[in-house]
Amino acid sequence: MSVPAGQSAATPKRLVVLISGRGSNLGALIEACEQDRIPAQVVGVISNRPDAAGLGFAEQHHIPHRVLNHRDYPSREAFDADLATAIEDYAPDLVILAGFMRILTPGFVDRFTGRMLNIHPSLLPKYRGLDTHARALADGEPEHGASVHFVTPELDGGPVIMQARVPVAPDDTPETLAARVQRAEHRLYPEVVRRVCSGEIQWSGRILQADGSPLEAPLQLDEDTHDVSGPDARSRPPHPVG
């Protein structure tokens, strides 16, 4: 990692990423770390599905990875216990949920309070849970988007750090809207992770702070943070949508 003259290199933060599927946000995070846009490195990837295509990103970039198949466990608690142990083996500073399709037990969440992030494809608190794009279209929403939040035991209910908004087109389908939201996610998630790793964003389970002041409302991804809104989006996403 390059360091400006007169400054010393800080130890990169250690990220463990949990996935269940194609892992496009994992790919975006890996790329951001490798390009020094985040003062961190992905040190481990864990999937609950052995066929998760996102494991290919870990293999391609020589990142340690493993599978804990949730179907091999008799209970959610048993799975979460082994998952927590596997995560701690990597000694992470942050745990990143990137399309990890598991409802986590309160004990697991409490263990990582203040250092576990999730990205959700809606403008929270709207549309928690699944099928967010179809639900937004059914309600005639003029805009949609994604939110990054700290994880709490409440499903998609943790304090929201930052959101990315995208317009809804008259001819959108759930698939086209999902693709537009996911391109925004590939910019949003690295930006939030950067701010958390740098200490700009902090939350210990009590007050969410940005630059030392309480964050009264979610930050919004804009042109200064490489927003993808606009007709040409200025550049293509770092990895195929998925």
Side-chain angles (χ1 to χ4, degrees):
M1 182 176 295
S2 59
V3 181
Q7 296 184 16
S8 60
T11 301
K13 299 296 185 182
R14 297 172 62 84
L15 311 181
V16 168
V17 184
L18 310 186
I19 64 171
S20 294
R22 287 183 280 184
S24 66
N25 275 305
L26 166 63
L29 289 167
I30 293 172
E31 185 171 273
C33 290
E34 291 181 345
Q35 294 178 354
D36 294 342
R37 289 186 282 120
I38 300 176
Q41 63 182 123
V42 178
V43 298
V45 175
I46 302 174
S47 174
N48 67 307
R49 294 182 181 275
D51 60 348
L55 292 169
F57 284 117
E59 294 175 357
Q60 179 183 351
H61 293 270
H62 308 290
I63 296 170
H65 54 282
R66 61 181 300 183
V67 173
L68 289 179
N69 192 336
H70 64 278
R71 298 183 183 278
D72 294 338
Y73 290 83
S75 67
R76 193 174 296 274
E77 289 76 13
F79 172 78
D80 280 6
D82 271 8
L83 178 61
T85 299
I87 291 171
E88 295 287 17
D89 284 345
Y90 295 110
D93 296 292
L94 280 178
V95 179
I96 310 294
L97 308 186
F100 188 63
M101 304 302 290
R102 294 285 298 171
I103 296 176
L104 298 167
T105 57
F108 178 93
V109 173
D110 289 345
R111 184 167 178 171
F112 297 101
T113 294
R115 55 188 182 119
M116 183 159 58
L117 301 175
N118 183 50
I119 191 165
H120 183 71
S122 80
L123 298 174
L124 292 171
K126 291 184 175 181
Y127 309 118
R128 298 180 183 182
L130 303 175
D131 302 321
T132 63
H133 312 301
R135 290 156 64 193
L137 289 174
D139 288 346
E141 295 283 1
E143 64 177 3
H144 191 42
S147 306
V148 177
H149 63 94
F150 281 106
V151 178
T152 65
E154 181 183 2
L155 179 65
D156 301 325
V160 178
I161 303 166
M162 181 180 281
Q163 296 175 322
R165 297 172 180 268
V166 301
V168 177
D171 59 347
D172 261 331
T173 65
E175 292 74 23
T176 60
L177 184 55
R180 191 177 308 116
V181 169
Q182 198 159 55
R183 287 195 295 271
E185 289 180 5
H186 294 164
R187 304 290 175 86
L188 174 65
Y189 219 173
E191 176 62 20
V192 173
V193 172
R194 181 191 70 78
R195 294 189 183 210
V196 174
C197 287
S198 69
E200 294 176 38
I201 299 293
Q202 295 183 341
W203 181 66
S204 62
R206 300 183 65 185
I207 299 174
L208 179 62
Q209 293 185 321
D211 294 321
S213 299
L215 186 61
E216 303 294 344
L219 300 168
Q220 300 297 313
L221 193 72
D222 56 24
E223 290 296 329
D224 292 333
T225 49
H226 311 293
D227 184 17
V228 294
S229 62
D232 61 2
R234 295 205 310 276
S235 65
R236 297 182 64 83
H239 295 287
V241 170

